[in-house]
Amino acid sequence: MSDKNNLLLLFDRPQEPVFMPKGDQRKAFAVPPEYLSDKYRPIGTQVTTRFGEEASERIPVKRISIPPLGEILELSRDSNFSLFIPKHRKIAGRLIDIFLGVRNVDDLLAVAVYARDRVNPLLFNYALSVALLHRADTQDLDVPSIIHSFPDKYVDSKVFSKAREDATVVPEGSRMPIEIPRDYTASDLEEEHRLAYFREDIGLNLHHWHWHLVYPFEAARQIVDKNRRGELFYYMHQQIVSRYNFERLCNNMQRVERFINWDGPIKEAYFPKLDSLVASRAWPPRVTGQKLQNLRREVDGINLDVDDMKRWKDRIYNAIHSGVVRDRTGKDIQLTENEGIDVLGNLVESSILSTNRDFYGDLHNTGHIMLSYIHDPDHRHLESFGVIGDSATAMRDPIFYRWHGFIDDLFQEFKATLPRYTENQLNNPGVTVQSIEVDVAGGGRNVLQTFWQQSDVDLSRGMDFQPRGSVFVRFTHLQHRPFTYKIGVQSNQAREGTCRIFLAPKFDERGNPWLFRDQRLQFIELDKFKVNLRQGQNTITRSSADSSVTIPFERTYRDLDTSRPQGGDALAQFNFCGCGWPDNLLIPKGSPEGFACQLFVMISNIADDRINQDPAGQCNDADSYCGIKDKLYPDRRSMGYPFDRMPRDGVDTLQQFLTPNMRVQDVSIKFENRTFKPREGNN
């Protein structure tokens, strides 16, 4: 069997022909003449000989019977690709199934080499990434981050002309990083631009892209039907909305306004300032005051009315309030207390797991489609979709958060129908949290500190038909100083427990204390981990770097060759650990004077938390948002517990909600408006 790492070379310079040398070692595939695309087949011998001679190694490619690609080829190579478009996700599912269905790595390499120069590059990248993540014989490969293949989705379009100049003129060792200004999509005349540092954060958008790789919604059922998938769709996006609202309050802005008036104008504009190098077009903007319109786009196979969305919404609300959904056979399925949210999540998204897509529709995805084509609903101007139509770029647009504000409101409508948690369901008898302290690196107690950090990322692997060698861009992002929790706990016996840590703003946008029913939705999860308590006094210490929500900064921007771990099991988990919130955004921005927050700590009863499964091979980096590869979600409680339901009677404030195994500590987030140069070794 050939080296399966050769599959990763297919992500390198995605628009260059497959026979050209790939990677830093300049390896070339020995492509059989019949595998060459129609464009190169007439001159196959000349080009393969020429580029083969330039290569350090020639990789043999088997001749096998290639499954017919059929409708997969209907998406042209110069088109954009979107998971939200039904036609696109159908052909993506077909290509994923082809890659999953071949017998071994050699056959996979052969099919992928054949497909690479025929299939749309964005579609190919997505389908091969999903297949490598889910095949038993390739899941130990380090699937490259999409920023390395398609950097145009993440950086100012002006960068590429400078990058081409540097790559052509400046020797590799002498190239300086190309600096991207922090404010390049708008000025402060646009109020929403205050949040650009968050929405346009590269790691944030990579998280959203990678989550949808791990949780595809159209492919073979065995890779879509993951444990509590629908609930995780709800919870991951609920936390995004809560976090966005946190950032808005830090910037003296109101919480996001749900997008519920589908007939009215959208006040927010967005001009992405991105070029699509595959489609050779700039990403279209959305100007102020545009309205949703019926879509008639034959080229995309889309024929949708705004009224379709309204019907689906009404049917979903009716299901929530009746407590049942109807499946395709007309049978009623109960939305139960614990499993109902999972059924609802799959239905709203909607994945192939939807109980009845014909009746309840495709609400979440269609919202993305409607918004992404708002500038050209009938294709009269031959325009492609806007950034909200691509999972790799959607979070850049302010309307993403308004749309997901509405989607989350659907889920909260269901959560409000569930029984309230009783004191017994919240308490952990015999356990008392006595104290909470946060120690920040470099001094300071209970004052979290944020600042601007510059970092470098290499774009060269995505720069087709350019001279070889590294081309770095330097971008500025939010960062926080590392900190440590110190939690004092009294226990009447030795036991295990689950420590749950959340953070929320202390006051609302008017500066008033919250009612608990509102504040509970503002809590963002910072960490969740198992603790071993001994009888008597305990001090729990935990580093912010160990958060169950985040992945390390270096992994978000990892270099393909220098940061791959050694050894089977660590390597097998490296892919999945690519899914997670970026560590640099663990803590909201805060304010220069110090933004008042409440840090919540709970030690819950392990008997109601524990999932009995073999922990071997677990990836613990970001299981709160991403689960654990090929295993059950590692917490039996509802996601977001204890804040995922309305409070019990008599609870109007956070203090009234607390039981002895919980405690709240006032902390503040102090933002220092300074920019620090890249850290040593950040490249």
Side-chain angles (χ1 to χ4, degrees), residues 438-449 480-484 668:
V438 179
D439 291 340
V440 180
R445 180 180 300 175
N446 296 335
V447 180
L448 301 166
Q449 297 176 21
H480 63 87
R481 297 194 190 285
F483 58 92
T484 303
S668 65

Side-chain angles (χ1 to χ4, degrees), residues 534-549:
R534 59 178 181 270
Q535 185 174 358
Q537 189 65 34
N538 297 264
T539 301
I540 300 168
T541 59
R542 174 84 165 180
S543 168
S544 60
D546 295 328
S547 169
S548 65
V549 171

Side-chain angles (χ1 to χ4, degrees), residues 283-516:
W283 287 84
R286 184 185 61 259
V287 298
T288 301
Q290 289 189 301
K291 299 179 182 179
L292 293 188
Q293 298 179 63
N294 299 335
L295 297 185
R296 301 289 182 266
R297 295 183 59 99
E298 291 183 20
V299 68
D300 301 306
I302 296 174
N303 186 349
L304 289 167
D305 290 353
V306 178
D307 282 348
D308 293 331
M309 291 175 54
K310 293 176 181 177
R311 274 191 296 275
W312 299 337
K313 178 186 72 170
D314 291 343
R315 289 169 181 173
I316 292 170
Y317 271 110
N318 287 338
I320 288 169
H321 291 293
S322 65
V324 294
V325 296
R326 184 195 308 169
D327 73 8
R328 293 177 183 87
T329 68
K331 177 185 170 186
D332 284 348
I333 297 173
Q334 299 292 321
L335 293 175
T336 59
E337 179 178 350
N338 293 315
E339 287 78 30
I341 187 68
D342 195 50
V343 173
L344 194 62
N346 288 324
L347 184 148
V348 169
E349 185 182 14
S350 72
S351 72
I352 62 168
L353 306 179
S354 170
T355 53
N356 193 342
R357 196 186 265 174
D358 289 339
F359 185 71
Y360 295 106
D362 193 8
L363 184 60
H364 163 261
N365 299 325
T366 299
H368 277 266
I369 294 169
M370 285 273 185
L371 290 162
S372 71
Y373 283 128
I374 202 168
H375 56 287
D376 192 14
D378 58 8
H379 202 220
R380 70 179 60 192
H381 298 293
L382 309 181
E383 283 287 305
S384 186
F385 50 82
V387 291
I388 195 170
D390 185 341
S391 64
T393 57
M395 293 184 71
R396 300 173 68 90
D397 191 331
I399 199 64
F400 173 92
Y401 304 90
R402 293 194 59 200
W403 176 240
H404 275 277
F406 158 72
I407 293 293
D408 187 58
D409 200 53
L410 272 179
F411 292 123
Q412 298 307 331
E413 189 85 6
F414 170 70
K415 286 285 188 175
T417 69
L418 300 180
R420 294 10 179 185
Y421 291 123
T422 64
E423 285 192 62
N424 287 339
Q425 289 175 300
L426 297 169
N427 202 4
N428 190 358
V431 174
T432 304
V433 180
Q434 297 177 313
S435 63
I436 307 169
E437 185 179 295
V438 179
D439 291 340
V440 180
R445 180 180 300 175
N446 296 335
V447 180
L448 301 166
Q449 297 176 21
T450 61
F451 53 92
W452 298 124
Q453 171 81 56
Q454 290 188 325
S455 297
D456 297 343
V457 64
D458 185 5
L459 304 187
S460 60
R461 294 175 189 271
M463 294 185 60
D464 304 286
F465 305 106
Q466 304 299 318
R468 267 42 182 174
S470 297
V471 178
F472 283 97
V473 295
R474 177 163 294 173
F475 61 100
T476 304
H477 57 87
L478 190 66
Q479 185 58 282
H480 63 87
R481 297 194 190 285
F483 58 92
T484 303
Y485 306 101
K486 291 186 178 176
I487 304 163
V489 182
Q490 180 75 25
S491 179
N492 64 354
Q493 64 183 53
R495 68 176 85 204
E496 293 178 328
T498 305
C499 184
R500 302 168 187 272
I501 304 178
F502 290 81
L503 185 71
K506 186 173 183 179
F507 304 107
D508 67 14
E509 47 265 82
R510 296 181 181 86
N512 297 324
W514 296 94
L515 287 172
F516 179 70

Side-chain angles (χ1 to χ4, degrees), residues 572-589:
Q573 299 306 320
F574 196 62
N575 283 333
F576 199 71
C577 296
C579 176
W581 195 256
D583 179 70
N584 63 290
L585 290 182
L586 176 63
I587 299 299
K589 181 181 176 184

